[in-house]
Amino acid sequence: MADGSVRVDAWVWGVRLAKTRSQATAACRAGHVRVNGATAKAAQPVRLGDEVRVRLHGFDRIYRVGGLPTRRGSAAEAARHFEDLTPPPPPRVERPAAILRDRGAGRPTKRERRDIDRLRGRSGED
């Protein structure tokens, strides 16, 4: 690579975002890795200060390149090579507890259904 850059798949693997180099390459091929807003091919160079977005487990994570690892090291060493810019997840919305019925009791009757709707704050006039 050119001086001061490293392949994006090698960087993703080196900072321990993917377990194997082939998984990092596959993520690039699938379009799960973006560098500075553009979809990245595996061989695209990454430089200091670039923004890398990686889709991990269904969520986008945003990182700023702070170092260019030449090999895969410990987690503590890998953490020095990036800055996590991912915003915190939105707060979880509390849902009412599920109403449990005795096993085999069958479907609720019309009266029971209305009572359940009233407990959940729903009215029948919708």
Side-chain angles (χ1 to χ4, degrees):
M1 279 274 112
D3 195 23
S5 67
V6 84
R7 287 174 58 119
V8 69
D9 63 338
W11 187 84
V12 168
W13 169 74
V15 296
R16 306 178 73 86
L17 300 178
K19 277 189 174 185
T20 65
R21 176 86 180 263
S22 60
Q23 282 181 347
T25 304
C28 291
R29 266 195 234 119
H32 297 301
V33 179
R34 299 171 75 82
V35 176
N36 296 326
T39 304
K41 292 187 177 181
Q44 180 172 340
V46 175
R47 293 174 179 78
L48 291 176
D50 283 351
E51 182 184 275
V52 178
R53 288 178 179 257
V54 182
R55 188 154 188 84
L56 295 171
H57 311 295
F59 298 100
D60 278 345
R61 303 293 307 246
I62 305 168
Y63 301 100
R64 177 168 292 127
V65 178
L68 303 173
T70 55
R71 62 180 179 81
R72 185 176 169 101
S74 67
E77 183 181 327
R80 292 188 308 224
H81 294 290
F82 65 84
E83 177 185 353
D84 192 355
L85 304 175
T86 308
R92 297 182 73 183
V93 178
E94 289 191 31
R95 296 188 337 216
I99 297 174
L100 300 176
R101 297 178 55 80
D102 293 334
R103 186 173 172 84
R107 294 176 55 179
T109 64
K110 194 170 194 174
R111 176 181 287 165
E112 290 171 334
R113 182 178 49 78
R114 288 180 180 152
D115 291 341
I116 290 170
D117 287 345
R118 200 173 307 111
L119 281 173
R120 290 187 174 165
R122 291 185 251 165
S123 63
E125 294 88 37
D126 289 345

